[in-house]
Amino acid sequence: MNVRTTRVERIAAGWLALEAIGVLALAAWELFALVRGDSESVPSSLALLALTVIGAVAVAGFAVAVWRGGSWGRSGGIVVQLLVLSVALGTLTGEGADTRLAATIAVPAVVGLVLLIAAARAAGARSRSEADEV
């Protein structure tokens, strides 16, 4: 099946790809910290590094799926944005609460969420118009 995605779907896919690159950059930073000896627990640091890389691969997979018009990519991307928003909310609580950090984390997630919801609406409209043509 050859699906022609809309512009907003491609933009949402690009946004997810940028987020995947950001998560890979985080993994590189974790690796650098591990090599530099900044970790108290090497096994825990390795596990965190592995999970971060897996997360980056998952977000990249969601980006590819959204680019190709797959609904599972949009769903997965929305879950990722909600998880990032929960991290942003967590930075607002506790002793080290930081409003600027929370905003820095939350704003890209909100943009991603809006793009993915718009992509889902566009995909629905595309699907309905394709059904009308048949």
Side-chain angles (χ1 to χ4, degrees):
M1 182 169 107
N2 190 6
V3 176
R4 176 93 171 121
T5 55
T6 63
R7 183 170 187 240
V8 72
E9 289 173 286
R10 292 188 301 273
I11 292 169
W15 191 263
L16 282 170
L18 286 174
E19 290 180 331
I21 292 168
V23 176
L24 277 178
L26 177 61
W29 178 75
E30 290 172 359
L31 180 61
F32 181 71
L34 180 64
V35 170
R36 199 173 55 211
D38 291 344
S39 301
E40 289 184 27
S41 171
V42 172
S44 292
S45 296
L46 287 171
L48 180 60
L49 177 60
L51 289 173
T52 304
V53 170
I54 290 168
V57 170
V59 175
F62 297 149
V64 170
V66 171
W67 186 270
R68 293 180 177 173
S71 66
W72 67 271
R74 292 187 303 273
S75 300
I78 287 172
V79 169
V80 167
Q81 305 314 307
L82 294 175
L83 289 171
V84 171
L85 284 171
S86 71
V87 170
L89 182 61
T91 62
L92 290 174
T93 60
E95 228 176 272
D98 188 344
T99 308
R100 285 187 293 176
L101 178 60
T104 302
I105 295 170
V107 168
V110 169
V111 170
L113 192 60
V114 168
L115 285 171
L116 287 163
I117 290 171
R121 292 178 56 94
R126 182 185 70 241
S127 177
R128 285 188 297 279
S129 71
E130 288 173 358
D132 289 343
E133 291 174 5
V134 174

